[in-house]
Amino acid sequence: MTTTHTRTAHTRTAHTRTAHTPLPIAPEVLVRLRDTDDAGRPCVPFVDDEGGDPLRCCLRPVAPGERIALVSYAPLRRWAAETGAEPGAYDEQGPVFIHADPCAGPAEEPGGYPFSRAGALRTVRRYSADGHIVGGRLLEIPEDEERGFDAAFDEAFADPRVALVHVRAVEYGCFHFEVRRQGTA
C-alpha cells in the first residue's frame, strides 16, 4: 500500500512501511528554497565530497559527490501557510540540506523512518491545529528503531489536540521530517 499526501498541486511520496508517514519537504517549497531560503538568503549550492548528511528533499543521506545546498527552512511557517494556522512565536527556522537541483523525492518503498540510528537522540515536538506547541518528548532511538518511533508517534497522536509532529536532531536542532495526523493533508 503506497501512502501519499497532497500539498497544493504536488504529491509527496512518503515512506510507506511504517505506522506513521514521514514527509519530506514539498516539491513546491523546494523550488522556492533553491532560490531564496526562509531567512531571505540566496541558495549557495556546493558539491559534498564526503556525504552522509540528511537530505530533507528525499529523506536519505547525501552521497559523496552530490550537489547540495544548506538552506534555512521554517517548517511550521510552511505548514501554517497551508492550513491557516497562526504559530506566532512558535515559528522557527533552521538549517537543512537539500539537493541543489530537483530530485525524485523519497524512494517508493524505502521502509523504516529516515535518519534513524539506534542510540541517536531526537526531539518529537507536537503541534496543535493552530500551530502552538502542545508538548513533546525526547526519544533515544532504541535498537528496534521503527517500534521506537511508532510508539512516540502513537503517544503524540493519542492527544486529540495534536495535528502535526516534528522530529529534530538534539545535537544541532535540525528539522528531520514531519508526521501529520492520519486523514490530514
Side-chain angles (χ1 to χ4, degrees):
M1 175 176 94
T2 299
T3 304
T4 58
H5 284 267
T6 303
R7 278 193 160 182
T8 318
H10 295 280
T11 300
R12 296 190 292 172
T13 302
H15 287 225
T16 57
R17 286 185 272 166
T18 55
H20 299 275
T21 306
L23 298 172
I25 297 174
E28 67 273 13
V29 172
L30 290 165
V31 168
R32 292 190 292 275
L33 292 173
R34 288 180 180 120
D35 178 52
T36 305
D37 72 12
D38 285 344
R41 291 186 299 267
C43 181
V44 180
F46 64 95
V47 174
D48 185 335
D49 293 326
E50 296 179 23
D53 288 314
L55 289 162
R56 282 29 167 252
C57 50
C58 53
L59 300 180
R60 68 165 178 80
V62 175
E66 285 190 291
R67 190 168 176 261
I68 63 170
L70 180 62
V71 299
S72 183
Y73 175 57
L76 193 60
R77 181 183 315 161
R78 298 296 184 156
W79 173 80
E82 289 177 32
T83 64
E86 295 286 337
Y90 295 106
D91 178 26
E92 56 187 328
Q93 61 190 35
V96 295
F97 290 99
I98 61 172
H99 276 114
D101 301 299
C103 69
E108 285 292 324
E109 291 289 333
Y113 289 99
F115 321 123
S116 184
R117 178 179 40 83
L121 299 175
R122 300 290 183 259
T123 58
V124 180
R125 191 172 303 157
R126 307 164 188 172
Y127 294 92
S128 66
D130 61 3
H132 295 182
I133 294 175
V134 292
R137 68 172 287 204
L138 177 65
L139 172 66
E140 180 174 351
I141 302 173
E143 287 298 319
D144 187 341
E145 299 165 1
E146 189 170 325
R147 178 174 275 161
F149 270 113
D150 286 346
F153 296 136
D154 288 345
E155 176 186 295
F157 291 118
D159 181 340
R161 299 174 300 165
V162 175
L164 175 73
V165 174
H166 284 174
V167 174
R168 294 177 180 267
V170 170
E171 299 86 349
Y172 299 100
C174 300
F175 170 83
H176 276 214
F177 61 90
E178 73 180 41
V179 173
R180 296 182 179 194
R181 179 176 290 284
Q182 296 289 331
T184 61

